[in-house]
Amino acid sequence: GVAAWRANFLTGREELRLPILVSALALALAGNRLDNEEIETLGTAFALASVVLMTVQRSRYLAAAGQMALTNYLTESLVVSYVFYGFGLELLGRLTVPQTVLLAIVFYLLQVFFSRLWLDRFRYGPAEWLWRSLTYGQRQPMRTSTSIGVLP
């Protein structure tokens, strides 16, 4: 991430995007040829992230998910624990890899969508608000000035 930022990959320098994507794909292929799953996974993840960054310039929805990262992480942890472990649906080992990936993508897209809806009415995600209130030692304002009167 830091290397991409320093190379201005994230700030609109188009001439660097394709070489970085090609490098990531080369890393994935090298990991595959060397039978090294960690290198292959890292390269594949880097390549996918590059494609996302190349196609999605600036998105209010992705920005909202980033602003609610702690809330989304905690929510995901609770939901995934419930779905996969014995105290919930106990689907661990019952779903195929493609089914699990599809479930993860759908859940992520739902989080992105609901993050935007939430931040249209509130300043912070619930976990971010609690963290901020504890940090400052007092309740922080939760609603945006435009949302007053929208919700009870």
Side-chain angles (χ1 to χ4, degrees):
V2 172
W5 174 73
R6 286 185 180 164
N8 290 324
F9 179 68
L10 304 176
T11 57
R13 290 199 42 207
E14 300 292 328
E15 70 273 9
L16 293 178
R17 292 183 179 183
L18 186 59
I20 290 174
L21 174 61
V22 170
S23 299
L25 290 172
L27 183 63
L29 290 173
N32 181 276
R33 296 287 292 162
L34 296 171
D35 201 25
N36 187 321
E37 191 172 316
E38 289 83 15
I39 292 175
E40 182 179 5
T41 301
L42 177 65
T44 303
F46 192 32
L48 288 172
S50 297
V51 168
V52 168
L53 288 173
M54 287 171 67
T55 57
V56 179
Q57 291 296 321
R58 291 181 60 110
S59 168
R60 283 178 23 127
Y61 289 92
L62 291 177
Q67 288 178 270
M68 291 183 54
L70 180 59
T71 297
N72 285 334
Y73 170 75
L74 294 172
T75 303
E76 183 178 327
S77 296
L78 291 171
V79 170
V80 168
S81 294
Y82 179 78
V83 167
F84 287 106
Y85 293 111
F87 58 87
L89 300 177
E90 204 171 349
L91 294 179
L92 186 64
R94 294 182 185 179
L95 297 178
T96 65
V97 172
Q99 288 172 329
T100 305
V101 169
L102 181 62
L103 181 66
I105 290 169
V106 168
F107 187 72
Y108 177 74
L109 292 174
L110 285 171
Q111 281 188 308
V112 167
F113 177 73
F114 283 113
S115 293
R116 180 71 263 153
L117 289 179
W118 181 273
L119 289 178
D120 282 344
R121 291 174 178 80
F122 301 100
R123 294 177 188 219
Y124 315 106
E128 291 77 15
W129 173 83
L130 178 61
W131 188 266
R132 185 176 281 260
S133 294
L134 292 172
T135 299
Y136 289 111
Q138 60 184 351
R139 276 180 68 119
Q140 297 297 301
M142 181 66 152
R143 293 190 183 211
T144 62
S145 58
T146 59
S147 70
I148 296 173
V150 174
L151 295 176

